[in-house]
Amino acid sequence: HNYIIPRLGAIPISKVAPFHLQSLYDDLLNKLSCQFVLHCHRNIKMALEDAYKWGKVTKNVAKLVKPPKIVAEKFRVWDEGQLRTFLEVAKSHRLYIAFLLAATTGMRQGEILGLRWQDIDFDKAILSVTQAIARDHHGFMVSEPKTSSSRRTIALPSNVIRSLKQHRKLQWSEMLAAKSYEDHGLVVQTLVGTPVSPRNFARVWYSLLKRAGVPRIRFHDLRHTHATLMLKQGVHPKIVSERLGHSSVQITLDTYSHLLPNMQAAAAEGFGKLLEPDTAYAP
């Protein structure tokens, strides 16, 4: 409605040509991300494929256009000390639990904002990712996880379980103190029980970054920080992949391949120490 229809909506579908699509993509790339333009291309391609099957067009012209190429995502991560510093500062904010979950589970922002108390098993110390909150034209909406692999179960450390219980008590006190409370059953809610807007959440994030004095990174980079620290600890990439909700371990390996040479050297050194001193060379 905002980008495709204003440019293509007035053109009869049988008259849509490759240059129409290429011109649209070129213009969109000047103001939007490659990922978003690729999403537009995929929607157009699917629509024209349906039109071809229904006999409305003689060919799918979207197949003749080169989609925008996605450049590998650049991200920055914190080390252990920087993460601890930030979390210590964030403890003073009522949304602290959201940042703790991001750092210790690698969940996406929408998954954390959509997490419900019913999705947490305190006895087994696990949570289930079953929904997410995403932006839309009206502010935000609840949606299904982005892929089947995104629907997953994540084990939680004991300190996170304790923090969740403390946060639940805080939420109960807010509920009792509020004149009007609209409980949505979410772990992360506003003072009146409604979902937290991703826009407002971002404001809190950048405000806390400034107070903590740590390098400025995106909230999504907490997800990368979680994965990086786990891999550096020697956690198997398959486990990291499952926690992140990647569709395959290959995505995890490709994303964090820059860590592998250092990890391999550390692994080799560690294995060598297992054999000392009996295998030391003695001429």
Side-chain angles (χ1 to χ4, degrees):
H1 289 287
N2 290 331
Y3 301 104
I4 299 175
I5 292 177
R7 287 289 297 271
L8 304 179
I11 305 173
I13 196 167
S14 61
K15 300 295 183 181
V16 174
F19 75 86
H20 289 128
L21 304 184
Q22 194 64 64
S23 176
L24 170 63
Y25 300 160
D26 291 344
D27 288 348
L28 292 180
L29 284 170
N30 289 328
K31 52 187 177 183
L32 297 166
S33 68
C34 288
Q35 186 67 54
F36 184 87
V37 179
L38 181 60
H39 182 62
C40 289
H41 169 73
R42 287 169 176 164
N43 275 282
I44 292 170
K45 186 177 178 181
M46 286 190 295
L48 290 176
E49 190 63 24
D50 284 341
Y52 172 72
K53 292 176 182 176
W54 298 338
K56 301 293 184 180
V57 296
T58 57
K59 60 184 175 182
N60 185 345
V61 296
K63 293 181 177 179
L64 305 177
V65 180
K66 282 188 176 182
K69 187 176 180 180
I70 301 297
V71 180
E73 179 186 14
K74 293 182 180 179
F75 57 86
R76 298 176 64 190
V77 298
W78 287 332
D79 59 27
E80 297 92 327
Q82 291 164 338
L83 180 58
R84 281 195 294 266
T85 296
F86 171 79
L87 290 176
E88 190 61 35
V89 171
K91 275 184 180 179
S92 61
H93 199 281
R94 60 180 300 277
L95 294 182
Y96 166 70
I97 195 65
F99 306 121
L100 181 64
L101 284 170
T104 56
T105 67
M107 292 169 68
R108 301 175 179 90
Q109 176 178 306
E111 294 170 344
I112 292 172
L113 296 183
L115 182 67
R116 299 167 297 184
W117 289 111
Q118 70 185 57
D119 298 324
I120 300 173
D121 187 325
F122 286 94
D123 294 330
K124 295 181 179 179
I126 58 174
L127 66 77
S128 300
V129 179
T130 60
Q131 65 175 29
I133 286 181
R135 295 176 182 173
D136 68 3
H137 300 303
H138 305 292
F140 54 88
M141 65 176 183
V142 177
S143 64
E144 293 288 317
K146 57 187 297 186
T147 64
S148 58
S149 54
S150 295
R151 185 182 290 274
R152 62 199 186 278
T153 299
I154 304 174
L156 301 171
S158 57
N159 63 319
V160 174
I161 289 293
R162 289 194 299 270
S163 294
L164 281 165
K165 290 178 178 178
Q166 292 169 0
H167 179 72
R168 186 165 56 174
K169 291 179 181 178
L170 170 65
Q171 204 174 81
W172 284 339
S173 66
E174 291 174 346
M175 191 182 305
L176 292 172
K179 293 181 179 179
S180 176
Y181 199 88
E182 184 182 338
D183 188 15
H184 282 68
L186 299 171
V187 173
V188 181
Q189 296 187 152
T190 66
L191 283 167
V192 293
T194 54
V196 173
S197 159
R199 186 183 298 274
N200 291 336
F201 185 79
R203 290 195 188 101
V204 174
W205 164 252
Y206 286 112
S207 174
L208 289 172
L209 281 187
K210 189 174 181 180
R211 283 177 50 194
V214 291
R216 183 183 172 92
I217 63 174
R218 305 166 304 167
F219 179 78
H220 192 72
D221 289 331
L222 268 188
R223 175 174 164 84
H224 295 306
T225 296
H226 173 74
T228 299
L229 293 179
M230 290 204 84
L231 289 169
K232 284 184 175 180
Q233 286 180 330
V235 177
H236 195 286
K238 176 64 174 173
I239 301 299
V240 178
S241 179
E242 290 173 353
R243 290 179 71 83
L244 297 179
H246 285 165
S247 57
S248 73
V249 69
Q250 190 60 48
I251 295 175
T252 311
L253 293 172
D254 289 344
T255 304
Y256 305 105
S257 59
H258 61 286
L259 299 173
L260 298 181
N262 293 334
M263 290 168 56
Q264 187 177 138
E269 185 66 25
F271 190 83
K273 289 180 179 179
L274 290 176
L275 305 178
E276 292 179 348
D278 299 335
T279 59
Y281 177 65

